[in-house]
């Protein structure tokens, strides 16, 4: 039996104004309850790993994640995605991003992200276009990022209200238009008030600041790009903003902190208890925040 590719699934989401969530897996045992919750709710989602999750957490490697995925996957409900491979990472170090993405493509990852957002526009365009060319023979869609979705860096964030009011780091519609035309990226991660949950040892168990979304700015980006847009930093955004964003072109949303924190907090009671905490959080997110019960039926054809 052949299954619909991830590119089509995310296009279907954009048309139907439904969202495809991606769930980050910083600890391998988190994957099974994430897949189970998606299946039990009739939903569709991406299982994802970002480079920082094998460098700074315990997902081990691209291969370890792929092997775990092969054990627990359900193609009616899941695909495997490579999240953030930065060109310059959160510690300001240059990354051999091309080698990592090539390895993921060879291992069978079904969509990939290159994050050149810390580069000047022309260099981000050049790196992203290179990854689009690399992924093309595999038939795998590429996600890129333009603008500054802050939060993964060490040290405190600027005050959130200041950031939101000044639109500092927001993706520029004019730049986004040029970026999409010149890179042919399939999906674009945008900065519109969203922030990532902290990952530093000091910050990773703290409650994430509640973020809002500038829906008017997002509408400009949708018009300028015409491709599926991605909302990173999906934890802790009020559902009214999430659903306003889905109506204005967000077709994929990334969620990490919301499922990582319950896992880490419960782990002292054993892996089974921690997996149960992830499962319960997932079901709540699917039903009440993302509202994607039964979405697999709409997306997977
Ligand atoms: P959160 O940790 O805020 O959910 O962000 C996840 C994310 O965007 C990963 O790419």
């Amino acid at each position: 039996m052949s299954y619909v590719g991830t590119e089509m699934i995310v296009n279907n989401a954009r048309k139907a104004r439904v969202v495809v969530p991606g769930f980050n897996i910083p600890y391998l045992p988190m994957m099974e309850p994430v897949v189970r919750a998606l299946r039990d709710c009739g939903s569709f989602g991406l299982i994802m790993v970002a480079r920082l999750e094998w460098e700074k957490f315990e997902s081990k490697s691209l291969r370890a994640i792929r092997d775990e995925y092969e054990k627990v996957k359900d193609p009616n409900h899941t695909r495997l995605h490579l999240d953030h491979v930065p060109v310059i990472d959160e510690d300001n170090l240059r990354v051999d991003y091309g080698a990592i993405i090539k390895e993921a493509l060879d291992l069978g990852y079904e969509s990939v992200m290159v994050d050149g957002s810390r580069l000047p526009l022309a260099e981000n365009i050049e790196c992203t276009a290179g990854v689009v060319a690399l992924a093309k023979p595999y038939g795998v869609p590429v996600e890129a990022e333009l603008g500054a979705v802050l939060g993964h860096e060490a040290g405190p964030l600027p005050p959130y209200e200041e950031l939101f009011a000044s639109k500092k780091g927001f993706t520029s519609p004019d730049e986004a238009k040029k970026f999409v035309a010149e890179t042919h990226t399939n999906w674009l991660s945008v900065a519109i008030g969203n922030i990532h949950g902290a990952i530093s040892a000091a910050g990773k168990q703290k409650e994430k600041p509640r973020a809002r979304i500038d829906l008017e700015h997002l509408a400009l980006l949708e018009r300028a790009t015409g491709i599926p847009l991605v909302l990173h930093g999906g934890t802790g955004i009020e559902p009214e903003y999430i659903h306003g964003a889905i109506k204005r072109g967000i077709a994929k949303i990334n969620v990490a902190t919301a499922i990582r924190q319950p896992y880490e907090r419960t782990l002292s009671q054993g892996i089974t208890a921690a997996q149960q905490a992830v499962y319960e959080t997932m079901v709540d997110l699917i039903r009440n925040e993302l509202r994607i019960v039964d979405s697999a039926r709409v997306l997977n054809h």
Side-chain angles (χ1 to χ4, degrees):
M1 172 164 182
S2 71
Y3 291 96
V4 176
T6 314
E7 185 178 355
M8 178 81 88
I9 284 167
V10 173
N11 282 342
N12 288 345
R14 178 167 174 256
K15 277 189 222 127
R17 301 299 195 195
V18 170
V19 80
V20 178
F23 295 100
N24 288 84
I25 307 292
Y27 304 92
L28 293 174
M30 285 175 62
M31 198 188 296
E32 188 277 331
V34 170
V35 173
R36 185 156 39 96
L38 286 165
R39 182 173 43 236
D40 288 354
C41 295
S43 308
F44 198 95
L46 305 181
I47 302 300
M48 336 190 273
V49 67
R51 172 181 174 266
L52 65 85
E53 284 155 347
W54 69 81
E55 295 280 337
K56 297 186 173 171
F57 290 87
E58 295 173 22
S59 60
K60 295 190 180 151
S61 66
L62 279 172
R63 182 178 292 275
I65 281 274
R66 194 281 313 264
D67 290 349
E68 184 71 12
Y69 183 72
E70 287 301 316
K71 282 188 225 152
V72 304
K73 73 179 179 184
D74 184 335
N76 287 314
H77 298 276
T78 61
R79 294 287 180 279
L80 183 61
H81 173 70
L82 176 62
D83 189 25
H84 290 280
V85 178
V87 179
I88 295 177
D89 74 9
E90 59 285 353
D91 301 318
N92 259 325
L93 300 172
R94 198 94 199 174
V95 174
D96 189 0
Y97 64 96
I100 296 172
I101 292 171
K102 170 84 170 54
E103 186 188 347
L105 292 165
D106 287 334
L107 283 167
Y109 280 69
E110 295 165 302
S111 48
V112 295
M113 179 185 190
V114 58
D115 174 4
S117 63
R118 293 188 182 93
L119 297 169
L121 177 65
E123 285 174 55
N124 191 356
I125 288 176
E126 192 186 323
C127 291
T128 302
V131 171
V132 170
L134 180 67
K136 203 178 171 89
Y138 296 82
V140 159
V142 173
E143 176 180 340
E145 183 164 299
L146 185 64
V149 182
L150 300 175
H152 280 166
E153 303 76 10
L157 269 177
Y160 182 75
E161 288 309 320
E162 203 176 293
L163 198 144
F164 193 84
S166 67
K167 301 189 190 233
K168 194 165 169 266
F170 277 25
T171 309
S172 139
D174 289 344
E175 288 189 3
K177 186 173 181 169
K178 177 179 163 75
F179 187 90
V180 169
E182 293 185 16
T183 62
H184 301 288
T185 189
N186 299 88
W187 313 328
L188 186 65
S189 158
V190 290
I192 46 178
N194 46 324
I195 50 171
H196 285 119
I199 54 155
S200 66
K204 70 181 184 183
Q205 270 299 334
K206 291 217 174 103
E207 193 181 342
K208 193 183 157 186
R210 302 298 280 182
R212 305 204 303 280
I213 299 297
D214 187 329
L215 294 172
E216 282 171 28
H217 195 86
L218 173 58
L220 299 178
L221 290 169
E222 181 181 31
R223 223 168 300 143
T225 60
I227 62 169
L229 300 177
V230 182
L231 187 64
H232 281 238
T235 297
I237 301 174
E238 293 295 341
E240 67 180 281
Y241 286 109
I242 293 181
H243 293 282
I246 295 168
K247 284 197 196 109
R248 293 166 180 81
I250 292 293
K252 172 174 177 281
I253 181 169
N254 284 17
V255 178
T257 307
I259 57 170
R260 174 180 54 73
Q261 288 184 336
Y263 182 87
E264 288 172 337
R265 266 190 233 126
T266 320
L267 198 53
S268 60
Q269 297 164 39
I271 286 186
T272 309
Q275 287 178 312
Q276 183 60 19
V278 171
Y279 180 82
E280 284 168 15
T281 306
M282 281 287 302
V283 171
D284 182 53
L285 284 172
I286 287 170
R287 286 198 185 138
N288 302 318
E289 294 203 19
L290 302 168
R291 300 179 194 146
I292 51 160
V293 172
D294 281 338
S295 66
R297 251 189 305 146
V298 181
L299 301 179
N300 207 357
H301 60 80

